Amino acid sequence: MRSWLSIGLLNAVILAILLLSAYRKQDKIRYFQSQTIPLKPDTIQAFVSQFKDDAGNDTLFQVRSKEGYPVSYFRKIKTSVCFDNKCRLLDIVLYWNVTGRYLGYELPEGEFLSKTEHEPFKPAEYARLNDLLADPFSPLANYSYEELVPKADLAASGLDAVSSATSKNVLDYVVEGAVYTTYKMWHFVYGAAQKEVIKLTEKRLSPGFLLQVLESQDSSDKIWALNHIRGQVELTPALRNTVLSFIDNNRFNLAERAINALSPTELKSDSLQKMLFEKYPKANYSLKNLIVTKYKEAPHLHSSVKTALANALKLANGELLTNILDLFKQHRVSDRETGRIIADLLQSDNNFLAQKAFIYLKSANIDDQRVTEQLNAYKTKHHL
Amino acid sequence: MEKIKRRSALTSLGALSFGMAVPTLSKGERLRAPYKLVQQTLKTDILVIGGGTAGVVAAIQAARAGRKTMLVENGSQLGGTTTTGGVNYPGIFFAWGKQVIGGIGWEMVQEAVALNDDTLPDFSIPHGKNHPRHQVRLNGQLYAMLIEEKAVAAGVQIRFYETPTSATFQKGSWTVQTVGKGTSTQIICNQLIDCTGNAYAASLAGFPLLRESVTQPGTLMFRLEGYDFKSLDLKLIKGRYEEAIQKGELVKTDFRNNIVGLLKSAGDNIQHVMGADSTTSETHTVANLKGRSSLLTTLRFLRTLPGCEKIRLADVQNETAVRETYRIDGHYKITHEDYVTGKVFDDAVSYSYYPIDVHDENGVIPDHLKEGVVPTVPLRALVPKNSRNFLVAGRMVSSDRLANSALRVQASCMGMGQAAGAAAVLANLQNKTPLDVSMKDLRKMIEEHGGIVPVSAQKG
Ligand SMILES: Cc1cc2nc3c(=O)[nH]c(=O)nc-3n(C[C@H](O)[C@H](O)[C@H](O)COP(=O)(O)OP(=O)(O)OC[C@H]3O[C@@H](n4cnc5c(N)ncnc54)[C@H](O)[C@@H]3O)c2cc1C
């Protein structure tokens, strides 16, 4: 069982004053990524979890804006970095943004980082550390502690060089001379605390907050926000407009997630159905198919969308044609106008299209003389 | 009861009176004459040989364009290296933030992702070291079923367990003789597409092929479980591995001389089967036997290591996946220079995007393309010299070795498959050989089916 402790308001305010003033402290060593979500810090809440790591404490601080939106998180780390039976203290504060991305680090006053021979970090090395920690895909994720530094005895063993090559590769992902420090910090950033950050943000989702996250310059923040809409917050008009604005040929992932964010309940709305369809004409083939498939989730199909898609059938092929017919089947489309468009496909030179049309019409029961005649002609031609 | 007894008594009497050769039949059994192999002749517009990564796409494209299409596959399912080979992470569909491979391949991949509740990778992350993250992880078996469903729905006539034995071109059509389990079939078609990965139909047709003196190793894909990599004593394990190699108990090249890599990857794309070749039953048998026996030997060894005593084989593929065998000698051979400079050919029919990726016994160090470069595939590279009504798609595309090491990847194969399918359709409809089809028509057909044709290929 996880135990959450929310520190009392007074404590929080005191902490806030202390920590927010730290933001302004120039004499501390602090390196940050750019803050991509335009939210201003106001208060701080402390949460205690059971991280089961050796960071020295289990408190995670959530910085909040005036509106109560999460702004960022930090955790104070006091641990030892050990190798060759020697240990050094690592005293540092790590920061995350609201989606769990690494934001930066800060050393307590007077503290500095040092390398193997107790040589202090140079500014370029602090900056490099900041960049290395910002890489969520760093291979450090899969290295074990033991792999980090080449063992001289193995290099001399006569085996060819995979082992030393691996260690050479490690150098691309660590600050030279501070291999274990980089490794340990990277694992703190992407370990249990990161999961807690996300959980805590998930507890404070709201349309207004997600709108702010969607303004981030970082595409993974945006994707995170798009993934947290469906079934989790109400799709207010402002949020709906922003979500739809992501349906754009040049940003496939965002477009795909934006379409995914629309839930069946919201698709009840005729206006949403129409607004979504406004994206269709300019959408590329992949997105057109995603949009058509989306309407399968709607409880009904708005007539203007249906008519437009019926007309699109005249030029559709392969996947798109199949998807539109599947959609019509799902919504039991059987009006005469649509029926006639589909029946015209029976005469196509392309057997695949004609057959698809036949399969549809066979079960659609369209009450129209012309459709019936075309259907009968098809059956006769194909001895059905 | 009495009746039954009487009847069975009569049956055995009858059997006796006809002599000992007639067996006693149990209830429901019938005596049948021995199965006869019947030679049959079938006709189709387009015949695709090989239902793998590229072949399925080619066949679906041809069938959806309304042509009668047959697909001959010697295995038991579609998908080839993506499914049976276990390399279920096709790449790469997006280059520099833009989609470069779409159409039927992308449709199949996306549907498999959706049906498995997987998520697509974020294609906006930079290439370079993150290039494997641009590949889409699939449930391979689900993918095999989905693409089969799509092929059937498109009207493709699938013939599993069958292989061609000859291919001859006469008076504008190909006659392909195939044999299968209990089948001997002559298939007459107008256009033939070889998607075997080994240029096998091209070789039967008599077109010269290209091959390297040393080909890249193959790989049997498998998955290990039952150990915690991060808590292993790697120094000790490396020592034990080295000892076993020196004693001749293990073969250095089987796992790239990299025991740590094997344990870390848990079997994903780490084994090497030197010289693996899937062209004939005999060579593929050798590759499978080698792959399995080295895996078993290594598994037994792993279980003697501290921390690995409970290592298990969670999964293993049915065959060794093969990287490289034969390529065609086409009307155009794509060069390394073409590839790394992103040359856009006048007859470009699809894009390709991947680092140069030649594997040797130690593994691979991918050579990434420069920012903005997206190579293309000309139609001429899909057509063997001196051929008519014949196309190829997939890893046997006409190319030099370095270009091929990148062209061979799955999204590129899918793009080529769609282009070859469309070219075959137009050639069939217009009674031409594929190289005589107009680029304008070809572009139109590919794009109507969602495929992406490189932009400056405008010539008619
Ligand atoms: C171990 C390994 C790792 C790889 N890693 C990646 C990767 O990370 N990403 C990536 O995109 N690509 C990767 N590739 C490359 C890629 O998977 C292949 O190059 C590609 O799938 C080849 O597609 P293809 O259609 O040409 O051949 P295949 O997919 O192999 O299809 C050929 C088909 O033809 C059939 N066939 C063969 N001979 C006959 C015959 N005589 N008669 C009938 N049918 C026949 C086969 O059974 C098979 O179904 C990897 C390949 C290997 C082997």
Side-chain angles (χ1 to χ4, degrees):
Chain A
M1 263 306 268
R2 202 168 291 282
S3 77
W4 291 105
L5 171 75
S6 187
I7 289 185
L9 193 62
L10 186 63
N11 281 354
V13 172
I14 295 168
L15 253 172
I17 293 164
L18 282 174
L19 285 153
L20 292 174
S21 64
Y23 265 84
R24 271 173 264 122
K25 276 232 159 87
Q26 293 308 310
D27 46 351
K28 282 185 184 174
I29 294 171
R30 52 195 318 273
Y31 281 81
F32 276 71
Q33 302 291 306
S34 54
Q35 168 72 280
T36 55
I37 300 170
L39 285 166
K40 288 215 168 66
D42 183 54
T43 54
I44 290 170
Q45 288 275 314
F47 295 89
V48 175
S49 179
Q50 286 161 3
F51 291 120
K52 294 193 182 130
D53 57 20
D54 61 346
N57 73 77
D58 280 343
T59 309
L60 187 62
F61 296 94
Q62 183 183 59
V63 181
R64 287 186 185 169
S65 71
K66 265 210 173 72
E67 302 92 329
Y69 300 155
V71 175
S72 62
Y73 295 81
F74 60 91
R75 186 177 178 205
K76 298 170 180 179
I77 310 280
K78 253 196 187 137
T79 189
S80 40
V81 178
C82 301
F83 54 94
D84 286 349
N85 300 323
K86 280 177 260 164
C87 292
R88 267 183 297 149
L89 186 71
L90 174 65
D91 188 355
I92 200 161
V93 186
L94 291 176
Y95 286 78
W96 293 262
N97 88 344
V98 291
T99 67
R101 279 197 306 118
Y102 164 78
L103 200 54
Y105 66 83
E106 178 182 79
L107 295 166
E109 227 168 313
E111 280 289 332
F112 61 92
L113 293 175
S114 61
K115 294 184 283 177
T116 325
E117 302 304 330
H118 297 286
E119 193 191 328
F121 267 44
K122 297 190 185 82
E125 286 161 337
Y126 282 115
R128 177 164 159 75
L129 179 66
N130 184 34
D131 289 345
L132 292 167
L133 295 179
D135 179 5
F137 307 125
S138 169
L140 291 181
N142 299 318
Y143 280 115
S144 74
Y145 213 74
E146 274 209 45
E147 277 179 284
L148 297 176
V149 172
K151 298 276 190 288
D153 49 350
L154 275 168
S157 70
L159 278 182
D160 57 28
V162 179
S163 49
S164 55
T166 307
S167 304
K168 197 178 110 238
N169 290 342
V170 172
L171 283 180
D172 291 342
Y173 309 107
V174 295
V175 174
E176 205 166 342
V179 179
Y180 294 105
T181 305
T182 320
Y183 178 84
K184 204 144 186 191
M185 279 177 69
W186 192 93
H187 280 272
F188 277 129
V189 171
Y190 296 96
Q194 188 194 39
K195 290 189 187 74
E196 291 304 330
V197 162
I198 292 171
K199 276 192 189 160
L200 288 174
T201 303
E202 283 173 342
K203 293 197 166 163
R204 301 196 70 78
L205 294 180
S206 67
F209 169 67
L210 289 177
L211 272 171
Q212 297 283 331
V213 182
L214 286 169
E215 275 188 34
S216 167
Q217 302 300 308
D218 183 274
S219 82
S220 69
D221 284 343
K222 288 188 164 98
I223 289 175
W224 191 94
L226 290 169
N227 282 340
H228 284 82
I229 294 173
R230 191 184 171 126
Q232 302 187 53
V233 299
E234 185 201 344
L235 196 69
T236 56
L239 189 54
R240 182 174 73 180
N241 290 345
T242 305
V243 168
L244 291 174
S245 75
F246 285 113
I247 304 177
D248 162 352
N249 288 341
N250 293 319
R251 299 177 301 180
F252 179 81
N253 284 101
L254 294 177
E256 188 265 341
R257 288 291 90 193
I259 295 170
N260 180 69
L262 308 171
S263 74
T265 329
E266 280 133 6
L267 284 162
K268 257 193 233 153
S269 142
D270 285 349
S271 65
L272 176 60
Q273 287 204 19
K274 283 196 273 185
M275 284 169 82
L276 176 60
F277 203 73
E278 281 166 20
K279 298 285 170 187
Y280 183 86
K282 284 202 181 131
N284 62 27
Y285 195 83
S286 299
L287 293 183
K288 274 195 167 76
N289 280 297
L290 289 178
I291 293 173
V292 170
T293 308
K294 188 77 209 179
Y295 286 106
K296 284 190 200 161
E297 292 178 25
H300 70 278
L301 187 60
H302 188 268
S303 64
S304 68
V305 175
K306 185 208 69 193
T307 307
L309 284 177
N311 284 316
L313 270 180
K314 293 175 192 165
L315 289 176
N317 256 302
E319 181 191 9
L320 190 56
L321 176 116
T322 309
N323 279 335
I324 298 176
L325 289 180
D326 283 354
L327 173 72
F328 285 178
K329 189 174 173 199
Q330 165 113 358
H331 289 290
R332 300 172 195 274
V333 173
S334 59
D335 63 284
R336 178 192 296 178
E337 193 191 1
T338 310
R340 286 186 175 184
I341 292 174
I342 299 173
D344 283 345
L345 294 173
L346 291 169
Q347 281 138 41
S348 168
D349 290 340
N350 181 337
N351 292 333
F352 171 75
L353 298 185
Q355 207 188 1
K356 281 273 169 195
F358 176 69
I359 293 169
Y360 186 85
L361 294 171
K362 217 172 51 171
S363 60
N365 289 327
I366 291 164
D367 186 12
D368 180 55
Q369 184 62 23
R370 203 168 105 190
V371 171
T372 312
E373 280 165 15
Q374 281 173 293
L375 210 46
N376 289 338
Y378 181 88
K379 282 186 189 158
T380 313
K381 185 175 163 196
H382 293 275
H383 314 290
L384 296 168
Chain B
M1 195 64 178
E2 179 58 24
K3 258 188 195 159
I4 292 171
K5 267 190 190 153
R6 246 178 74 82
R7 196 177 297 146
S8 51
L10 281 172
T11 314
S12 35
L13 263 178
L16 275 179
S17 60
F18 281 106
M20 294 306 288
V22 182
T24 314
L25 294 175
S26 311
K27 193 165 175 241
E29 277 178 342
R30 298 279 179 280
L31 263 186
R32 294 279 307 258
Y35 180 83
K36 271 210 189 91
L37 192 87
V38 182
Q39 169 72 31
Q40 57 178 339
T41 299
L42 303 174
K43 278 194 174 168
T44 187
D45 296 324
I46 292 163
L47 172 63
V48 180
I49 311 284
T53 316
V56 187
V57 178
I60 292 178
Q61 168 63 78
R64 283 185 183 172
R67 298 292 85 198
K68 195 169 177 208
T69 306
M70 226 170 250
L71 174 58
V72 166
E73 162 58 47
N74 67 189
S76 59
Q77 65 178 8
L78 299 180
T81 304
T82 317
T83 58
T84 317
V87 185
N88 50 344
Y89 33 86
I92 288 182
F93 296 89
F94 287 75
W96 314 113
K98 279 206 127 166
Q99 185 160 18
V100 292
I101 307 287
I104 295 165
W106 179 243
E107 167 194 340
M108 303 189 311
V109 164
Q110 257 197 316
E111 216 166 301
V113 166
L115 194 56
N116 211 43
D117 280 337
D118 292 330
T119 46
L120 289 168
D122 179 354
F123 298 113
S124 68
I125 60 174
H127 292 283
K129 84 169 165 56
N130 288 324
H131 95 88
R133 293 184 188 274
H134 280 255
Q135 319 215 83
V136 186
R137 288 263 162 192
L138 301 175
N139 175 331
Q141 292 306 316
L142 175 72
Y143 183 73
M145 291 196 285
L146 265 175
I147 62 180
E148 180 178 290
E149 181 183 60
K150 281 185 187 290
V152 170
V156 176
Q157 291 178 50
I158 301 172
R159 300 182 66 80
F160 283 132
Y161 302 114
E162 214 162 278
T163 180
T165 54
S166 69
T168 47
F169 188 63
Q170 262 182 344
K171 293 185 194 148
S173 45
W174 284 97
T175 300
V176 177
Q177 175 64 44
T178 70
V179 291
K181 265 206 271 199
T183 64
S184 172
T185 310
Q186 193 179 52
I187 304 175
I188 298 170
C189 64
N190 175 244
Q191 304 288 330
L192 182 55
I193 311 179
D194 182 349
C195 295
T196 57
N198 305 319
Y200 183 69
S203 84
L204 289 179
F207 306 126
L209 308 178
L210 304 171
R211 186 179 169 105
E212 298 300 316
S213 48
V214 179
T215 53
Q216 297 175 65
T219 296
L220 178 62
M221 302 282 276
F222 59 91
R223 204 155 47 78
L224 295 175
E225 61 182 21
Y227 66 106
D228 171 22
F229 173 71
K230 288 198 171 147
S231 64
L232 297 177
D233 182 343
L234 297 177
K235 192 175 164 194
L236 183 145
I237 287 177
K238 278 186 199 163
R240 291 275 306 278
Y241 179 61
E242 187 189 341
E243 240 176 68
I245 286 175
Q246 270 158 10
K247 282 194 209 147
E249 291 163 5
L250 294 177
V251 178
K252 187 163 135 181
T253 51
D254 282 356
F255 285 95
R256 312 178 186 195
N257 190 25
N258 188 358
I259 187 78
V260 174
L262 165 60
L263 289 163
K264 191 170 181 167
S265 67
D268 183 10
N269 199 359
I270 181 82
Q271 194 211 40
H272 272 173
V273 180
M274 306 312 285
D277 183 342
S278 51
T279 312
T280 68
S281 305
E282 283 177 357
T283 58
H284 210 172
T285 302
V286 171
N288 289 339
L289 295 184
K290 272 194 192 169
R292 289 179 201 136
S293 93
S294 99
L295 172 55
L296 265 179
T297 310
T298 308
L299 179 67
R300 289 194 184 100
F301 165 75
L302 291 174
R303 288 168 64 94
T304 67
L305 299 172
C308 298
E309 297 84 352
K310 294 286 171 202
I311 274 194
R312 294 183 296 271
L313 201 50
D315 197 7
V316 62
Q317 290 302 129
N318 291 353
E319 62 182 39
T320 294
V322 169
R323 287 192 173 79
E324 185 184 10
T325 56
Y326 297 92
R327 315 187 284 277
I328 61 155
D329 185 17
H331 279 262
Y332 187 83
K333 190 198 228 180
I334 306 170
T335 64
H336 178 227
E337 175 70 11
D338 294 335
Y339 201 88
V340 298
T341 56
K343 179 166 180 171
V344 182
F345 297 94
D346 286 345
D347 60 338
V349 285
S350 70
Y351 283 113
S352 166
Y353 182 79
Y354 210 74
I356 301 297
D357 196 70
V358 180
H359 290 237
D360 64 16
E361 64 175 54
N362 295 315
V364 63
I365 299 174
D367 188 5
H368 297 286
L369 297 181
K370 289 212 180 75
E371 175 131 18
V373 167
V374 189
T376 70
V377 179
L379 182 63
R380 283 165 298 150
L382 304 181
V383 180
K385 278 181 190 155
N386 301 320
S387 69
R388 290 192 69 76
N389 300 19
F390 195 103
L391 285 149
V392 307
R395 69 173 186 241
M396 70 235 220
V397 55
S398 177
S399 45
D400 71 24
R401 190 186 201 196
L402 290 175
N404 190 265
S405 71
L407 282 160
R408 71 191 171 92
V409 296
Q410 295 177 24
S412 303
C413 289
M414 292 170 181
M416 289 184 243
Q418 182 149 6
V425 167
L426 291 169
N428 173 246
L429 285 171
Q430 299 169 3
N431 200 16
K432 286 178 177 168
T433 192
L435 279 186
D436 293 343
V437 163
S438 99
M439 273 308 294
K440 201 167 144 232
D441 290 350
L442 187 51
R443 166 187 288 276
K444 183 165 176 279
M445 171 158 293
I446 297 171
E447 287 180 349
E448 276 173 3
H449 289 263
I452 297 171
V453 182
V455 264
S456 58
Q458 296 290 10
K459 294 203 174 159

